Amino acid sequence: MTYKEQLDMNRIPQHVAIIMDGNGRWAEQRGKQRTEGHIKGVEVVRKIMENAVELGIKYLTLYTFSTENWNRPEQEVSALMGLLFKNIEEEVFIKNQVRFRVIGDIERLPAEIQAKLNKCMEHTRDFERSCMVLALSYSSRWEITRAARILADKAAKGLISADAIDEKMLSGVMTTNFMPDPDLLIRTGGEIRLSNYLLWQSAYTELYFCDTFWPDFNMEELCKAIYEYQQRERRFGKTGAQIAQENK
Ligand code: IPE
Ligand code: IPE
Ligand code: MG
């Protein structure tokens, strides 16, 4: 039986975040340029988006380019920017009725990419079925620092008092404030780390790591991650007995 067939369709995670890692190694293993891996990676993004919609995942948050990735060789950064520009196709989102959004320090991106991203967000804003979020020039420390600055500024202007700052208010000034925290976070490519991704938001997220390089990731691998997620008990600090009682 496939993992897809074994899924409990009533317990599909609402928000799945993915660290799409391993493009470069996938290419290097085949004696190709790293960029070839990124090109294949883009195709997989499109397929996984469609798979996620089919499974009923409401939010798919893809780590596409981190703050730290700006430090890669200039040639790789510009190849990635070129690929990004070429592949933001609003038709694909419109066809799938998917809302497109971006989180991250977008102002660091080339102006023509910003314009394309904004247009795509604008033209898909009414779709409610599913939402695909690209994290671009994103890192958690950038985001948390930004949030601190926003609240400090409000406090300095007398709009809020320091005492009023609580977890909810802080979540409200994160770039992810329009969606729930991730239920499941998947990292492909074999590394067991978060690399500055959604650190605040994944406080109680189920983490899933697999060795598959991103260009080889597919629907069945996604279903395997969700299947494993469904076998776990999320306790949020409580005891197993309490959770059993709540689920009665
Ligand atoms: C992930 O693949 C894509 C980006 C970070 C842009 P990598 O490019 O990190 O691939 P590896 O980890 O070197 O194999
Ligand atoms: C994380 O991958 C960032 C993205 C997938 C966009 P990296 O390849 O940059 O992570 P590290 O450097 O191995 O931690
Ligand atoms: Mg990597």
Side-chain angles (χ1 to χ4, degrees):
M1 241 206 319
T2 63
Y3 283 103
K4 187 168 182 230
E5 288 162 342
Q6 294 179 72
L7 288 186
D8 176 350
M9 295 310 284
N10 296 316
R11 287 175 49 238
I12 294 294
Q14 208 188 355
H15 179 176
V16 176
I18 308 184
I19 302 176
M20 310 182 287
D21 197 21
N23 291 351
R25 280 165 289 158
W26 180 91
E28 280 157 11
Q29 273 189 358
R30 287 164 176 74
K32 296 178 177 179
Q33 297 287 318
R34 291 177 57 84
T35 311
E36 295 290 318
H38 296 313
I39 292 172
K40 189 82 196 342
V42 173
E43 283 174 33
V44 176
V45 168
R46 191 162 304 161
K47 277 201 217 112
I48 290 298
M49 180 191 85
E50 293 183 347
N51 296 157
V53 173
E54 185 188 328
L55 292 172
I57 294 166
K58 198 107 177 88
Y59 298 93
L60 182 67
T61 322
L62 304 176
Y63 204 9
T64 308
F65 191 82
S66 73
T67 304
E68 289 75 21
N69 289 150
W70 285 114
N71 300 323
R72 290 195 177 191
E74 210 181 297
Q75 190 208 341
E76 181 162 342
V77 171
S78 65
L80 282 166
M81 290 301 143
L83 267 179
L84 182 60
F85 184 75
K86 212 172 119 199
N87 288 286
I88 310 160
E89 292 173 310
E90 57 183 60
E91 301 76 30
V92 178
F93 297 106
I94 292 169
K95 190 183 106 195
N96 290 289
Q97 308 237 312
V98 170
R99 181 167 188 183
F100 173 76
R101 299 201 60 158
V102 175
I103 55 171
D105 192 1
I106 302 311
E107 282 162 22
R108 282 185 77 175
L109 298 169
E112 65 269 23
I113 294 187
Q114 290 185 44
K116 219 168 163 185
L117 292 171
N118 287 330
K119 221 172 91 195
C120 193
M121 284 193 268
E122 184 61 33
H123 292 169
T124 61
R125 65 181 306 159
D126 293 328
F127 295 132
E128 287 172 359
R129 185 173 164 208
S130 283
C131 182
M132 186 178 100
V133 183
L134 292 189
L136 287 171
S137 190
Y138 173 89
S139 73
S140 278
R141 288 185 176 182
W142 164 79
E143 172 181 55
I144 292 168
T145 306
R146 173 182 170 276
R149 211 178 288 135
I150 293 171
L151 293 182
D153 186 54
K154 281 192 180 173
K157 288 182 174 139
L159 297 169
I160 55 167
S161 72
D163 289 345
I165 299 174
D166 56 10
E167 290 183 15
K168 193 159 167 260
M169 191 185 287
L170 206 39
S171 289
V173 289
M174 294 290 166
T175 59
T176 51
N177 60 8
F178 57 93
M179 54 185 168
D181 287 341
D183 300 295
L184 170 64
L185 185 147
I186 298 169
R187 181 173 188 143
T188 66
E191 310 297 352
I192 317 290
R193 56 175 172 257
L194 294 176
S195 302
N196 220 348
Y197 193 43
L198 300 176
L199 301 183
W200 167 267
Q201 296 83 349
S202 58
Y204 268 105
T205 299
E206 294 300 326
L207 307 180
Y208 176 89
F209 298 93
C210 66
D211 289 333
T212 310
F213 292 139
W214 177 252
D216 289 328
F217 198 73
N218 58 26
M219 174 65 135
E220 185 59 5
E221 295 260 350
L222 175 64
C223 291
K224 184 177 177 191
I226 297 173
Y227 177 79
E228 187 162 309
Y229 161 87
Q230 291 182 341
Q231 310 312 305
R232 299 186 192 173
E233 182 180 57
R234 301 182 77 186
R235 289 192 288 274
F236 299 99
K238 296 181 181 175
T239 66
Q242 284 175 297
I243 299 300
Q245 183 66 30
E246 283 174 13
N247 291 338
K248 253 191 188 164

